[in-house]
Amino acid sequence: MVKPAIATPAATNPFFPLPFLVISRRRETRDTVTLRLRPLSDVRLIAQPGQFMMLSVYGVGEVPISVSGLPRRPGELEHTIRAVGSVTRHLVALHPGDQIGVRGPFGTSWPLQLAHGQDVLLVAGGLGFAPLRSALLAILRERWRYRQVIVLYGARSPADLLYRRDLSRWLQRPDLVLRITVDHPDQYWRGQVGVVPNLIRQVTAFFEPANTVAMICGPEIMMRFTIRELQKHGIPDERIFLSLERNMQCAIGLCGHCQLGPFFLCKDGPVLPYSRLAPFSEIREF
Amino acid sequence: MSDRSVLELLATHPFTADLSEDQQAQLAACARIAHFEPDEYLLREGQPATAFYLIVSGLVSIEVFVPGHGPRPLQTVEGGSAVGWSWMLAPSRWEFDARALERTTAVVFDAERLRALFLEDCCLGLRLVQRLLFIVTERLRAARLQLLDLYGPPRER
């Protein structure tokens, strides 16, 4: 006998957040944590790497946060959050056992299928590593599908590096090229110092521009200079993908807060190829 | 190390790889190969700038010594790039320190001979000065980006 599906308000109404439980909290840096969330209902929200969820703290507000990991169990979510405002400060202060509201997933995802059989270049700056981490984890889970996998990551200082345990593990992998740089080293730092676009010329031997898919996430100025560098090395605009952060509010393309040219970044983005964005690149923010 | 080894390195280094064999040979005559152990200085602030370094492999930190804080790295330079252009301009003294962070191999040019070569063969001189200018521009751009503190907190949410 087929059990009848029960339509919950959340399943039918994209504005209705579902209750989730915080099941773990990992401190990444002074102001950033990674939360793992488990649904308290039977509805599964399956997010693809690159998509975002609207996380709400009851009575405080709601923010768009990209998924930063893969689910360990069906329906679980992982988000990395930096405390920069009222809602995010509350989210960062949550602990296992606390509840929040979640709606989504929203937006476009990283082009992982397009990257099958291709070289993959991920360029991350600062907190922009969070959305790319989910893509990287998906790539490493099916590593055989891709050719060279190259990750370039820039952070403000060694203390601001996210996912240190992952980074140490990835640095040991022979099938992954990982370069890390910081802008402001401390006295113990023995690695590279400088901005992340500078790392690109160090890895040109590892990718064939015409067969490379590049994915970039970070501050827009960093992405702008990274794009120029990738173009210099021959990667076509349609193979350069960016994740753009905007003032996402409704998350379903109704309110217009996240509009950029003809795009509503909450539904047409956040991940878009540069070939579509280039005509609007003269707008002061992409 | 023989000139031949220097020539081999110049033939593959991005700074000189596309020069003619004759030009590479002219440059090799002014150069030697040097190895630097971790924490060994290639050059020191205030000292006469008597050399130009093409980094072949390793990692070099360009830094400034801040009294009370020690060396403050500003940027690192890896294999395939170059270090040092103070020798081109008076008063030809290094403005920063350069210290090897890893075992580093470099082709080291004698600045006086290089300057003489540039005057003797202006075409070669112009090509190399253009390349140096490209590196200077890249470093300036990187320094400007670093000044922006790109990874600082975004707007509040």
Side-chain angles (χ1 to χ4, degrees), chain B residues 6-20:
Chain B
V6 174
L7 266 177
E8 279 172 1
L9 294 178
L10 294 183
T12 54
H13 196 284
F15 195 84
T16 48
D18 66 340
L19 296 177
S20 70

Side-chain angles (χ1 to χ4, degrees), chain A:
Chain A
M1 182 179 161
V2 179
K3 197 176 170 185
I6 300 168
T8 64
T12 55
N13 183 347
F15 288 112
F16 197 96
L18 284 168
F20 271 67
L21 186 71
V22 177
I23 56 170
S24 77
R25 175 186 191 268
R26 187 176 65 237
R27 181 166 282 283
E28 302 288 352
T29 69
R30 177 180 45 83
D31 58 2
T32 306
V33 302
T34 296
L35 299 180
R36 185 165 280 276
L37 308 172
R38 181 173 294 160
L40 286 169
S41 69
D42 291 336
V43 181
R44 301 272 180 264
L45 306 180
I46 311 295
Q48 301 300 318
Q51 290 189 297
F52 68 95
M53 315 295 285
M54 296 299 292
L55 306 187
S56 51
V57 180
Y58 303 127
V60 179
E62 189 182 49
V63 283
I65 306 282
S66 295
V67 291
S68 63
L70 301 178
R72 286 183 201 158
R73 290 185 193 169
E76 282 186 5
L77 295 167
E78 193 169 287
H79 292 279
T80 300
I81 304 148
R82 180 196 271 183
V84 292
S86 170
V87 183
T88 49
R89 268 197 296 273
H90 277 84
L91 285 168
V92 165
L94 293 173
H95 284 90
D98 291 335
Q99 274 190 43
I100 62 168
V102 178
R103 59 189 184 97
F106 298 114
T108 53
S109 56
W110 294 112
L112 295 178
Q113 286 206 331
L114 176 70
H116 288 172
Q118 308 284 304
D119 296 325
V120 188
L121 176 58
L122 308 182
V123 188
L127 195 59
F129 198 20
L132 279 171
R133 177 177 177 259
S134 57
L136 180 58
L137 291 172
I139 288 167
L140 294 177
R141 193 173 58 184
E142 298 186 328
R143 180 64 187 86
W144 69 90
R145 290 190 187 279
Y146 306 88
R147 299 198 316 182
Q148 290 283 2
V149 179
I150 304 142
V151 180
L152 309 178
Y153 174 33
R156 189 188 210 179
S157 74
D160 292 303
L161 287 171
L162 302 172
Y163 315 123
R164 285 151 194 260
R165 202 182 301 171
D166 289 339
L167 292 175
S168 325
R169 211 172 47 236
W170 293 334
L171 281 167
Q172 308 300 319
R173 285 186 71 128
D175 59 352
L176 177 68
V177 178
L178 171 61
R179 298 277 191 277
I180 302 168
T181 187
V182 299
D183 278 3
H184 305 290
D186 60 23
Q187 56 185 318
Y188 306 108
W189 180 252
R190 299 288 295 184
Q192 303 210 42
V193 179
V195 293
V196 74
N198 281 2
L199 297 179
I200 291 166
R201 65 162 178 269
Q202 296 178 26
V203 296
T204 50
F206 294 103
F207 64 83
E208 285 176 22
N211 296 313
T212 296
V213 173
M215 306 179 204
I216 316 172
C217 191
E220 289 192 5
I221 300 171
M222 169 237 142
M223 292 203 284
R224 220 156 68 200
F225 281 88
T226 300
I227 291 163
R228 285 183 202 165
E229 203 63 30
L230 295 178
Q231 289 172 325
K232 260 192 242 170
H233 289 97
I235 299 186
D237 287 356
E238 63 271 19
R239 289 178 156 269
I240 299 174
F241 290 82
L242 317 178
S243 178
L244 291 179
E245 187 190 324
R246 273 296 179 283
N247 183 13
M248 277 88 156
Q249 300 266 337
C250 72
I252 53 172
L254 289 178
C255 73
H257 282 92
C258 63
Q259 188 169 3
L260 172 69
F263 305 117
F264 288 116
L265 288 176
C266 66
K267 72 179 178 65
D268 303 316
V271 177
L272 280 164
Y274 184 62
S275 52
R276 294 185 69 196
L277 288 165
F280 311 100
S281 60
E282 287 181 9
I283 295 172
R284 276 303 164 178
E285 286 183 316
F286 265 123

